[in-house]
Amino acid sequence: MSSQPEEQTAGPTEISDPRLRFELKRAIVWLGLALLIVGVITLAAPLLLIIAGMVFAVLLDGGVRLLGRILPIARGWRLAIVVLSFFAFLGWVGWYAGTSFFSQFAQLRDVVVGQAERLFAMADDMGLVSGLSVDSVSGQVVSSVGRVTSILGTAIGAVTASILIIVIGIFIAAEPRLYDRGVAWMLPKRSRPTFYEISDHMGWAVRRLLAGRLLGMVIEGIFTYVMLTLVAQMIGLDSFPLAALLALLTGLLAFIPNIGAIVSGLLMVAVGFSQGQSEGFYAIFVYLFVQNFDGYVVIPMIAKKTVDLAPALVLAAQIIFGTLFGILGLLLADPIIAAIKAALEEYSRQRDKGELNEAAAEPAPE
């Protein structure tokens, strides 16, 4: 027998035409992109929890950096101070809300439900709608807010998700460079400096954005309470109904731009009209005054130091993320858009910088 191997013909997977190979590679890229999109939608719940943990880590990192300006101690000790302060604040809010706001929350729910039923009845009498009720509307809203709502649909799910977000955030904030190096290790060496620049710029942008949001939340909450107290004194009341709770909700909802202001305004107006027409019109005045003060004074002041995002872009992202991923997507729409914008800006700057360096390295024409 001859020891020479037999000549083998080309297999069905071997493509000799270079144009066909190019088209095949391009088709594989598009197929991989489609599979990636399907995977993101299918795994939306864990991915959003991880992103929320990263956003919380950026928030902790901002507190650590701010504390480092006045306390020149090790980063681990500063992180411990920030985390303990965060848990102390949560404990104080839980205790204060449990002792002071528990009954007010139930009262607010009854007021909102009652005002909504009156509004639906009035619209039914005018022939605008028919058969609407609070239960049917709330059921439609809950059924259309996306897949991730199933995680937060129960108290146990919400607590579990919150614990996971906090734990992920603390781990990432403890050693942020460790995770940056892990991602950079999977990239080519020539791309790693660019990745580090983009990562740093994204962290800077999200830190500034969250700092601005927190400052806006505090200002709106305090200003709302002061205005409601002044209005109560003007109309001869001891205090405006549920003023402290409305101020707290206004401050918390200020974290969600555009939509949060609308929700807090509806709650304030509903409580005002539940007490009478004059209280309702005063509530409208307070809402418009606070929002105009925030829009013309607070936001421009904060925007000088933070990421400037177009309101229409943020609203469109909130609608898309809220529809696809529920309440968690709505909360994270703003930071995600800020991070994407910062990454694209830094990538464009790095690319222009590289092109300028290449042009400078070329020999001058004779």
Side-chain angles (χ1 to χ4, degrees), residues 168-248:
I168 292 173
I170 293 175
F171 278 134
I172 296 177
E175 292 185 279
R177 280 297 177 186
L178 175 64
Y179 302 94
D180 283 347
R181 290 196 300 268
V183 176
W185 176 77
M186 295 184 291
L187 300 175
K189 289 184 178 180
R190 64 179 182 274
S191 302
R192 293 176 186 178
T194 302
F195 168 76
Y196 284 126
E197 293 288 340
I198 294 176
S199 176
D200 291 341
H201 190 66
M202 289 173 62
W204 175 86
V206 177
R207 282 196 306 271
R208 293 297 183 95
L209 177 72
L210 295 178
R213 289 283 180 266
L214 291 178
L215 181 60
M217 291 167 62
V218 173
I219 293 176
E220 281 200 33
I222 294 176
F223 198 51
T224 300
Y225 182 76
V226 171
M227 289 298 299
L228 291 177
T229 303
L230 292 177
V231 164
Q233 294 178 358
M234 290 172 57
I235 59 180
L237 297 176
D238 294 335
S239 62
F240 196 88
L242 307 178
L245 180 59
L246 291 174
L248 176 64

Side-chain angles (χ1 to χ4, degrees), residues 32-326:
L33 182 61
L35 292 176
L36 178 63
I37 294 175
V38 172
V40 168
I41 296 176
T42 305
L43 301 175
L47 287 177
L48 278 185
L49 287 179
I50 294 172
I51 293 175
M54 296 171 64
V55 171
F56 181 65
V58 172
L59 186 63
L60 292 178
D61 184 62
V64 170
R65 291 170 181 264
L66 184 62
L67 191 61
R69 297 182 179 181
I70 57 177
L71 284 179
I73 57 179
R75 176 184 173 85
W77 290 108
R78 284 182 278 139
L79 179 62
I81 293 174
V82 173
V83 172
L84 291 177
S85 301
F86 171 75
F87 282 113
F89 175 75
L90 287 183
W92 175 81
V93 170
W95 175 82
Y96 189 73
T99 56
S100 303
F101 291 157
F102 186 78
S103 60
Q104 294 187 20
F105 271 111
Q107 184 180 352
L108 178 63
R109 181 195 59 194
D110 296 338
V111 167
V112 172
V113 171
Q115 294 296 96
E117 291 290 357
R118 290 177 56 186
L119 184 62
F120 290 151
M122 186 182 301
D124 194 6
D125 294 339
M126 297 174 62
L128 299 177
V129 296
S130 60
L132 280 183
S133 64
V134 175
D135 294 335
S136 62
V137 172
S138 60
Q140 293 176 4
V141 171
V142 170
S143 63
S144 62
V145 292
R147 300 168 55 89
V148 183
T149 308
S150 60
I151 301 177
L152 309 175
T154 62
I156 297 177
V159 171
T160 304
S162 301
I163 293 174
L164 289 175
I165 291 171
I166 292 173
V167 171
I168 292 173
I170 293 175
F171 278 134
I172 296 177
E175 292 185 279
R177 280 297 177 186
L178 175 64
Y179 302 94
D180 283 347
R181 290 196 300 268
V183 176
W185 176 77
M186 295 184 291
L187 300 175
K189 289 184 178 180
R190 64 179 182 274
S191 302
R192 293 176 186 178
T194 302
F195 168 76
Y196 284 126
E197 293 288 340
I198 294 176
S199 176
D200 291 341
H201 190 66
M202 289 173 62
W204 175 86
V206 177
R207 282 196 306 271
R208 293 297 183 95
L209 177 72
L210 295 178
R213 289 283 180 266
L214 291 178
L215 181 60
M217 291 167 62
V218 173
I219 293 176
E220 281 200 33
I222 294 176
F223 198 51
T224 300
Y225 182 76
V226 171
M227 289 298 299
L228 291 177
T229 303
L230 292 177
V231 164
Q233 294 178 358
M234 290 172 57
I235 59 180
L237 297 176
D238 294 335
S239 62
F240 196 88
L242 307 178
L245 180 59
L246 291 174
L248 176 64
L249 292 177
T250 301
L252 293 177
L253 290 172
F255 184 81
I256 310 175
N258 304 321
I259 298 176
I262 297 174
V263 174
S264 62
L266 291 175
L267 293 176
M268 192 182 305
V269 172
V271 172
F273 277 106
S274 68
Q275 303 297 315
Q277 290 187 353
S278 60
E279 287 83 353
F281 286 114
Y282 275 116
I284 294 176
F285 166 76
V286 171
Y287 169 72
L288 294 177
F289 191 85
V290 170
Q291 293 305 318
N292 279 278
F293 178 80
D294 181 68
Y296 290 103
V297 178
V298 178
I299 291 180
M301 178 185 65
I302 295 175
K304 295 179 181 179
K305 301 293 185 181
T306 61
V307 182
D308 188 15
L309 296 176
L313 176 63
V314 175
L315 182 58
Q318 288 174 333
I319 294 173
I320 295 173
F321 280 71
T323 303
L324 291 176
F325 308 124

